[in-house]
Amino acid sequence: MSQWKLYPPLKKREKFRFPWLPILLIYIVVIVVAVLIRALSWPDNKPVEDIFFLQSVVVPFVIITTCLCYAGMFLSVEGYYYDVKRQCVEWDLYYLKKFSQRRLVIVGSTSVAPVDNLAVQLLKLEGQFPLAPKTPLRIKMAERFEVTKSQYIFNQLIETLADKIIKYPEVEVFYWLREGDNTTTEELRRVLDEHGLKFKNEITQLCECPDYSVLAAMIEESGNQWQYSRLIIIADLYNDETVNSMESATALFICKEYPVNEKPKPVYLYQPLTGDADLADSVPVYLAGEQTTAPKILWHTGLAQTEKYPLLNALNECKVAAERIDLELAFGEYTAGYRWLALAVASDAARYGQGAQLIAASEKGKAALTVLSATQPSALKLPEGDYVAMPLLWSFPALVMSIVAFVFSWGVYFGVPEGWSVIIFIAIMFLITPVLGVLLTRFAVRSAENDVQYPQE
């Protein structure tokens, strides 16, 4: 299955109505004509016998029924083709939802920035929306801390999450620090030790700020591990005071599973949309995954105009995320740390009753989206077919009726047929009718699967 491509939904087919009246008319007309012909050819002065009705009524009835069974076998090709095609489309959507609803749990998140209570202010729940010209750009250190700035930031982040992280001794730690060096790893380890966090795994320093593709990789990786927990720290700090981007630091503690009743409640991070996908086409498909309730708010950063307009237009058409928050408008020139800061801020919004959140970020011309929510999706239902009779099923009554028609008609007109002739006829019909049913069924299935590539998980 192509991850973010979906076959357009099929129009609902009109419910099949069995043509009782036309078929009844066929029976009546044919039998009436047969009776008239037999009456005209019946010898004069000969009383009407049972053979008259057998030849003029029963034999035509059997032959018509046989022909209708064969006609049904051919006519069922179209209905079965449509049913297979519709099932392909529904399974395509099912696998899309199953893929898009894969998730991790953000057990805890925290951020450090020059502006306090970012989520509250950006959502205009309290105070004024920060604007870039007035927003402070540099994080100020508390005077009592006689440590490096990076160590101070690490301490601020870990202090908030330590109580949760300490329950997971198998945590793997990944961090990125702008202009960081080998000494910063030791600084981070020292901060972790001060909070009683000693891990078996090495701390991994990332050479560049990761994009959301790392989230997709984490979801894939978590499916192969019984226990999965990651601490991701992004510290976007500047030594150059002339830069017009806001400093920020974000820590996300992510697990595979977490108690639903834990306080504060966890936030679910769903499968992100990443890569070179065309947003105008892929966003509606992404939202069709129904990861959770429709997102109320879009947080976006780093989007070029060629990405922003298709995204916003697609969201308008889908009628979701009517409220949009541009992080550059609030914080200043784009920087890599904003996309992770957006995750932390949106996580707070989702956790404290603001509904599902949609986050969009772009790096090097590759836009990515992900959904955060405090609720899990409902269980998926397997698609169900219409159970249209396939041509192969029609072949069995056609086979039986053809044998009955042959034996009965021969017996009426020529007497009881020889046993060998019946056996030969049955053998021939066994070769022709079921094989024809198989070929017609295979044709319908192949045609449907060629028109709609059959989805695979």
Side-chain angles (χ1 to χ4, degrees):
M1 180 190 72
S2 181
Q3 291 177 355
W4 305 116
K5 293 185 181 297
L6 195 62
Y7 193 87
L10 298 178
K11 293 182 179 179
K12 191 172 182 180
R13 196 163 180 254
E14 292 184 8
K15 191 174 181 180
F16 175 74
R17 295 181 179 180
F18 194 82
W20 293 105
L21 184 58
I23 290 177
L24 181 60
L25 289 175
I26 290 174
Y27 275 104
I28 293 174
V29 170
V30 172
I31 291 175
V32 167
V33 171
V35 170
L36 290 174
I37 293 174
R38 192 69 189 97
L40 292 175
S41 62
W42 191 259
D44 294 337
N45 301 323
K46 184 179 179 180
V48 177
E49 299 174 351
D50 292 342
I51 192 68
F52 178 89
F53 296 102
L54 291 175
Q55 292 177 344
S56 62
V57 177
V58 178
V59 170
F61 179 87
V62 172
I63 293 175
I64 294 172
T65 304
T66 303
C67 293
L68 289 176
C69 288
Y70 278 96
M73 183 165 57
F74 282 91
L75 293 175
S76 67
V77 171
E78 182 182 0
Y80 191 64
Y81 157 82
Y82 188 88
D83 187 51
V84 173
K85 186 176 180 180
R86 187 189 58 76
Q87 287 188 55
C88 289
V89 172
E90 291 188 2
W91 277 102
D92 193 18
L93 179 59
Y94 171 81
Y95 285 131
L96 171 79
K97 290 182 178 181
K98 189 173 181 182
F99 176 78
S100 63
Q101 291 179 7
R102 295 197 302 177
R103 57 194 177 272
L104 291 171
V105 183
I106 299 180
V107 177
S109 61
T110 186
S111 60
V112 179
V115 180
D116 296 330
N117 301 319
L118 282 177
V120 173
Q121 293 197 44
L122 290 171
L123 292 173
K124 303 174 186 176
L125 300 176
E126 201 175 280
Q128 294 183 344
F129 183 90
L131 292 173
K134 299 180 181 180
T135 302
L137 297 180
R138 300 293 169 256
I139 299 173
K140 294 183 179 180
M141 293 178 56
E143 296 180 359
R144 62 185 181 87
F145 277 88
E146 297 179 356
V147 293
T148 63
K149 187 171 185 177
S150 57
Q151 193 169 348
Y152 169 76
I153 296 298
F154 290 150
N155 185 77
Q156 294 289 98
L157 297 173
I158 299 301
E159 186 176 29
T160 305
L161 301 176
D163 291 342
K164 294 181 176 66
I165 300 174
I166 201 168
K167 301 175 184 178
Y168 296 81
E170 301 294 332
V171 173
E172 293 188 30
V173 181
F174 297 84
Y175 83 98
W176 175 77
L177 173 64
R178 184 182 294 276
E179 301 177 7
D181 53 32
N182 295 332
T183 62
T184 55
T185 301
E186 290 304 317
E187 290 180 349
L188 177 56
R189 189 184 304 278
R190 195 176 305 119
V191 171
L192 292 171
D193 289 342
E194 290 174 356
H195 290 88
L197 304 175
K198 298 182 182 295
F199 305 125
K200 301 176 182 178
N201 301 308
E202 293 294 324
I203 297 174
T204 302
Q205 181 179 7
L206 304 174
C207 58
E208 61 180 12
C209 185
D211 56 23
Y212 287 170
S213 63
V214 73
L215 298 174
M218 290 171 63
I219 292 175
E220 183 69 27
E221 186 181 354
S222 68
N224 302 321
Q225 296 186 23
W226 179 253
Q227 291 184 336
Y228 186 89
S229 54
R230 298 289 185 273
L231 175 61
I232 298 179
I233 298 174
I234 304 296
D236 201 354
L237 311 177
Y238 288 91
N239 294 326
D240 187 355
E241 295 293 331
T242 63
V243 178
N244 292 323
S245 301
M246 187 187 77
E247 289 185 321
S248 65
T250 304
L252 299 171
F253 181 46
I254 298 175
C255 294
K256 180 179 180 180
E257 300 290 345
Y258 197 73
V260 177
N261 297 325
E262 192 75 15
K263 299 296 183 181
K265 57 185 177 182
V267 172
Y268 301 96
L269 185 153
Y270 290 93
Q271 179 77 48
L273 181 157
T274 59
D276 299 316
D278 184 347
L279 293 179
D281 296 330
S282 58
V283 170
V285 176
Y286 182 71
L287 296 174
E290 296 179 352
Q291 299 90 338
T292 179
T293 56
K296 292 183 177 180
I297 303 170
L298 167 69
W299 309 77
H300 62 91
T301 180
L303 297 177
Q305 298 298 332
T306 54
E307 297 168 327
K308 183 182 297 184
Y309 291 139
L311 171 62
L312 298 183
N313 185 59
L315 295 179
N316 289 337
E317 290 183 354
C318 296
K319 298 180 180 180
V320 297
E323 184 175 350
R324 289 85 188 256
I325 299 177
D326 186 340
L327 295 191
E328 282 94 283
L329 181 65
F331 302 146
E333 292 180 1
Y334 169 77
T335 185
Y338 288 173
R339 56 178 175 264
W340 294 93
L341 180 63
L343 284 177
V345 177
S347 177
D348 286 342
R351 182 176 283 113
Y352 297 111
Q354 297 302 307
Q357 310 288 307
L358 181 65
I359 303 97
S362 181
E363 180 70 16
K364 298 179 181 178
K366 294 183 178 181
L369 277 77
T370 190
V371 171
L372 300 181
S373 176
T375 60
Q376 298 187 55
S378 56
L380 292 176
K381 294 182 179 179
L382 294 175
E384 296 182 358
D386 287 337
Y387 303 108
V388 175
M390 64 178 69
L392 180 60
L393 294 180
W394 276 96
S395 69
F396 294 112
L399 173 63
V400 172
M401 289 307 302
S402 64
I403 295 173
V404 171
F406 169 75
V407 174
F408 191 82
S409 301
W410 189 284
V412 169
Y413 286 100
F414 307 106
V416 179
E418 297 290 338
W420 60 267
S421 63
V422 176
I423 294 174
I424 292 176
F425 182 81
I426 292 175
I428 293 173
M429 297 311 295
F430 256 110
L431 288 176
I432 295 176
T433 307
V435 170
L436 181 60
V438 170
L439 293 176
L440 291 175
T441 301
R442 187 176 179 85
F443 171 76
V445 172
R446 285 292 182 88
S447 299
E449 291 182 349
N450 287 336
D451 291 346
V452 183
Q453 184 179 3
Y454 196 81
Q456 296 180 354
E457 187 175 6

